[in-house]
Structure formats: structure tokens, C-alpha cells
Amino acid sequence: MSEQPTVETILDHLGRTLKSRLPAQGGDPSSSYAANFLAKGPDAFLKKIGEEATELVMAAKDQERERIVYETADLWFHSLVALTYYGLEPRDVLTELLRREGTSGLEEKASRPEDQV
């Protein structure tokens, strides 16, 4: 039996689980929420990401701490679905965050090409 995920391992665990839900890996859309989104493709999960981002904004505007956490979890989950669909892993995002660590956000933004600002 595999170990229960922890705060330190949950993103990798979710990444592996989502990868197993891909249609090519036998993910069954009729029995898995994630497999359903992965089978439907970008239109479905991108719409859901937009909805979850809006719900997070509203929770933050209302200063509802528990709801902020809940909506952030929803947003992160659906973003992980998108990463999986495009063949990326949570580690790719964590690597990018690590790359940015210690760099001023203002400097990082100024270093981007004009079309990415």
C-alpha cells in the first residue's frame, strides 16, 4: 500500500493520479471527475479554471479566509488538470517558482518579452 500524501508530497501525488486519469492511460470519464475533464479537452477545463479563479476573487474580496483556501484548492486542482493534459507536471511549475526565488518580481516582469507582460 502506498503512503498517504503529505503537505510536502501532495502535488506530486495529484500529478501521478491525474496522469493515470488520462484517456491514453485508461482513465474512465464515467467514473472519474478528472478523467471526464481530460477526455473533454481544453474547452471544459479552461472554462472551469476561469470559474474557479472568479470564485477565488470573490472570496478574497469578501475576506472569507476559509472560502479563499477552498477556492484556491479548486483553482490549483483544475490547473493541475490543465498541466496534465499538456504533458506537464506540478514539478515544472515548482521548478519555475524556484528559478524565480530571490529575483525581484519587478525585475522578473521587466525581463519578460513585451508580449508576455
Side-chain angles (χ1 to χ4, degrees):
M1 185 164 92
S2 66
E3 290 185 35
Q4 285 290 96
T6 65
V7 169
E8 291 80 15
T9 64
I10 188 63
L11 289 177
D12 283 337
H13 175 79
L14 285 171
R16 287 190 303 275
T17 300
L18 288 169
K19 192 181 283 188
S20 76
R21 301 300 194 262
L22 285 163
Q25 300 297 319
D28 180 3
S30 69
S31 65
S32 166
Y33 178 81
N36 186 26
F37 272 108
L38 290 165
K40 287 181 178 177
D43 286 347
F45 61 75
L46 294 175
K47 178 181 177 186
K48 192 66 176 172
I49 289 170
E51 290 172 10
E52 298 302 346
T54 300
E55 290 172 3
L56 172 56
V57 168
M58 298 310 297
K61 286 184 70 66
D62 294 342
Q63 300 181 33
E64 296 179 21
R65 293 173 54 88
E66 286 183 29
R67 203 168 127 230
I68 291 168
V69 170
Y70 183 88
E71 298 301 347
T72 299
D74 282 353
L75 179 59
W76 285 12
F77 177 82
H78 291 93
S79 295
L80 290 170
V81 170
L83 289 174
T84 302
Y85 182 87
Y86 292 110
L88 298 164
E89 298 180 7
R91 189 162 298 279
D92 296 317
V93 177
L94 296 175
T95 299
E96 176 60 15
L97 289 171
L98 185 59
R99 183 191 70 78
R100 294 180 188 188
E101 176 62 23
T103 303
S104 159
L106 296 174
E107 289 174 16
E108 193 280 329
K109 188 171 181 178
S111 72
R112 294 182 198 168
E114 192 69 28
D115 63 340
Q116 292 183 1
V117 177

